[in-house]
Amino acid sequence: MLFHVRMDVNIPADMPAEVADEIKVREKAYSQDLQRSGKWRHIWRLAGEYANYSIFDVESNAELHDVLTALPLFPYMKISVTPLCRHPSSIRDSDA
């Protein structure tokens, strides 16, 4: 199942920099592992924002929930999820 996910990050201003940096290191490692596995297909930064648009390819709503809630930055995120399906006019078989 494909999902379009917008993630807006809002780290508290009073969080010590070393704590924020450690969370970001764990976030990067986790997200890159998911990308290598094919579950996190694409990630794009939104220019001028601490936010991204991503495409996830997971087995179920529950798996997406588990993936997202395991993100180290999850407690500091606002997340919007849109389920996707292949468009009948697409010429790419890999859209499924």
Side-chain angles (χ1 to χ4, degrees):
M1 298 178 73
L2 296 176
F3 295 91
H4 171 270
V5 179
R6 178 179 172 139
M7 294 178 244
D8 293 89
V9 181
N10 186 18
I11 295 175
D14 61 349
M15 179 181 284
E18 61 275 2
V19 173
D21 290 345
E22 188 274 330
I23 294 169
K24 291 175 193 176
V25 166
R26 290 188 294 119
E27 180 86 9
K28 182 176 183 177
Y30 179 61
S31 71
Q32 289 180 343
D33 285 345
L34 288 167
Q35 289 172 66
R36 286 185 200 94
S37 77
K39 291 182 187 292
W40 197 326
R41 274 204 196 175
H42 302 281
I43 183 170
W44 294 275
R45 172 175 281 163
L46 303 182
E49 299 182 46
Y50 196 170
N52 73 75
Y53 283 133
S54 294
I55 303 294
F56 286 85
D57 188 358
V58 293
E59 292 296 319
S60 66
N61 295 338
E63 183 181 12
L64 179 64
H65 177 80
D66 292 344
V67 164
L68 295 176
T69 58
L71 289 165
L73 284 169
F74 177 78
Y76 313 105
M77 289 182 175
K78 176 185 172 196
I79 298 176
S80 301
V81 176
T82 304
L84 301 173
C85 61
R86 189 171 192 280
H87 194 284
S89 298
S90 176
I91 62 169
R92 292 186 175 77
D93 292 332
S94 64
D95 288 346

